[in-house]
Amino acid sequence: MTDNFAFTGDFRFTEKDCWLEFRIPMRVLKSLINGPSSQHLQVERHEIIGLLRIVAANPNTSESDLTIVRDLLKRA
Amino acid sequence: MIIATKMAESLRLLGMTQLCLSRLARVSNVRLSRFLGGSLELRPDEMDRLAATLHNCFMIQKGDGRLASSNLPIDWDRMVVSDESTVGDVSFEFEGDFDFCLDRHPVLSVLIPLDTLKSLVSAGPSRFLKITQSEVVGLLGLLVRNPNMSEDNRAVAQSLLDLACNQGAGADD
């Protein structure tokens, strides 16, 4: 989609995968489902990496999550 | 609701946070929260993982394998529970959930395999995750049909689904 919005979200890590939870403005959601079928949401790599850095800097992030996040950031 | 009440009681007995259970059982914390609040029915595979995780944790807490006194609390946040039944399909098929109640912005939760995430961050700067219109519309349809969906969530999901149905026929023109 060409309709950009400020990306805010969070990760919930598990053993093999994770839930990426992110907020979508209602106008963007309506634009997505109201448009042609080729419309899509696009989460950029740099947004993912930015979110990982926020999670890594959060003092409340658990040690097990930190291990996963640091491994991901090393690959970036 | 009875199962949710028992699950909340299990968390209390274990001294485990809801967030920790969501991590160990591979269930979105948003979905688990709504399940415990009685506004959402989880899928069978999610229920199986939650039940298996709680069972494993109780076995760890009470089991003979503990080296120290059984009265010492376990730091579940540092715990990794290995459950073979949760290891299997690693293909990245769209699995998600919407919550329209947390604040004024809908929250979309998408399940991403860690291997996929590793590939994404390791790749070049032009890579991205793509969530298609059909995946979002399909998810809205699932939510509307869920009998345990809260009225507020259902109303918003239905209005969006109506919008998709009304516009879908001519949208590609």
Side-chain angles (χ1 to χ4, degrees), chain A residues 15 64, chain B residues 23-24 60 75-83:
Chain A
E15 286 177 70
S64 56
Chain B
R23 177 177 66 84
L24 294 173
I60 290 168
D75 184 356
W76 297 110
D77 286 334
R78 298 171 65 89
M79 188 75 195
V80 174
V81 175
S82 178
D83 180 2

Side-chain angles (χ1 to χ4, degrees), chain A residues 12 14 17-20, chain B residues 26 28 43 49 92-97 109-113:
Chain A
R12 305 290 178 207
T14 66
D17 44 28
C18 66
W19 286 91
L20 168 61
Chain B
R26 302 169 60 221
S28 158
R43 294 186 300 272
R49 290 200 299 272
F92 184 28
E93 292 180 8
F94 180 78
E95 187 175 344
D97 192 22
S109 304
V110 182
L111 188 67
I112 306 170

Side-chain angles (χ1 to χ4, degrees), chain A residues 14-15 19, chain B residues 3-8 10-11 14 16-37 40-59 81 83 85-86:
Chain A
T14 66
E15 286 177 70
W19 286 91
Chain B
I3 297 174
T5 303
K6 285 185 176 177
M7 201 169 286
S10 297
L11 283 173
L14 286 167
M16 179 187 289
T17 64
Q18 176 189 309
L19 183 61
C20 184
L21 177 60
S22 76
R23 177 177 66 84
L24 294 173
R26 302 169 60 221
V27 174
S28 158
N29 190 44
V30 172
R31 289 174 59 77
L32 179 59
S33 179
R34 285 164 52 195
F35 169 73
L36 292 174
L40 174 73
E41 183 176 357
L42 295 175
R43 294 186 300 272
D45 62 301
E46 291 174 311
M47 289 301 298
D48 288 347
R49 290 200 299 272
L50 285 167
T53 300
L54 287 172
H55 174 74
N56 286 345
C57 289
F58 274 117
M59 294 299 289
V81 175
D83 180 2
S85 67
T86 66

Side-chain angles (χ1 to χ4, degrees), chain B residues 113-169:
Chain B
L114 277 179
D115 286 342
T116 302
L117 196 55
K118 287 175 184 174
S119 297
L120 176 68
V121 298
S122 305
S126 62
R127 300 298 298 271
F128 56 86
L129 288 175
K130 181 179 175 182
I131 301 165
T132 65
Q133 181 196 55
S134 63
E135 288 169 335
V136 170
V137 172
L139 181 57
L140 290 171
L142 285 176
L143 296 182
V144 167
R145 289 195 295 274
N146 186 337
N148 293 307
M149 176 63 61
S150 72
E151 284 305 314
D152 288 346
N153 258 340
R154 187 199 305 277
V156 180
Q158 184 64 61
S159 68
L160 289 168
L161 201 54
D162 291 344
L163 188 64
C165 292
N166 291 337
Q167 300 294 331

Side-chain angles (χ1 to χ4, degrees), chain A residues 26 29, chain B residues 98-103 106-107 140 143 153 156-157 160:
Chain A
M26 188 58 92
L29 192 53
Chain B
F98 266 118
D99 195 320
F100 300 104
C101 298
L102 292 182
D103 59 22
V107 174
L140 290 171
L143 296 182
N153 258 340
V156 180
L160 289 168

